[in-house]
Amino acid sequence: MKHQDWLAGQLKDDEFAASYLTQAAQDLEPAVFTTALRHVIDARGGLAKVADAGKLSRQSLYKAFPLTGQGNPTAKTMFAALRASGLQLSFKGG
């Protein structure tokens, strides 16, 4: 089994996906988080499904979350993509 296939399967689990995104958010490079979020989106049905569920345009999602990780999504787009993927953002003191 390829790593990408294994990861896609694991990212369907809410707890695993939340942990995956939390770890990616710890990196100071924004592309790490946007790439991780793209992995979650792909594992949960892809950009088209998330666009429909989040009432977002597919074109804006493809620009915000390109496969290269070099997108620059707005907060609105990122939060909508998270919600449409069945996840929510939370913070905790360190």
Side-chain angles (χ1 to χ4, degrees):
M1 175 182 285
K2 292 182 180 178
H3 175 72
Q4 281 300 110
D5 295 336
W6 175 85
L7 181 60
Q10 295 298 309
L11 289 174
K12 291 176 184 173
D13 176 75
D14 287 344
E15 292 300 317
F16 186 90
S19 178
Y20 183 74
L21 290 173
T22 298
Q23 290 302 311
Q26 303 306 309
D27 195 290
L28 295 178
E29 177 57 47
V32 173
F33 182 77
T34 58
T35 299
L37 183 52
R38 173 65 189 259
H39 291 161
V40 172
I41 290 168
D42 287 345
R44 292 170 176 238
L47 290 175
K49 181 178 177 183
V50 169
D52 292 343
K55 297 182 173 81
L56 302 165
S57 80
R58 291 179 189 182
Q59 183 178 14
S60 70
L61 278 180
Y62 281 103
K63 285 182 180 178
F65 302 105
L67 292 173
T68 63
Q70 299 304 310
N72 189 17
T74 64
K76 178 181 177 181
T77 300
M78 192 172 349
F79 295 147
L82 283 165
R83 281 191 304 276
S85 294
L87 299 170
Q88 58 185 335
L89 188 64
S90 64
F91 301 92
K92 66 179 185 175

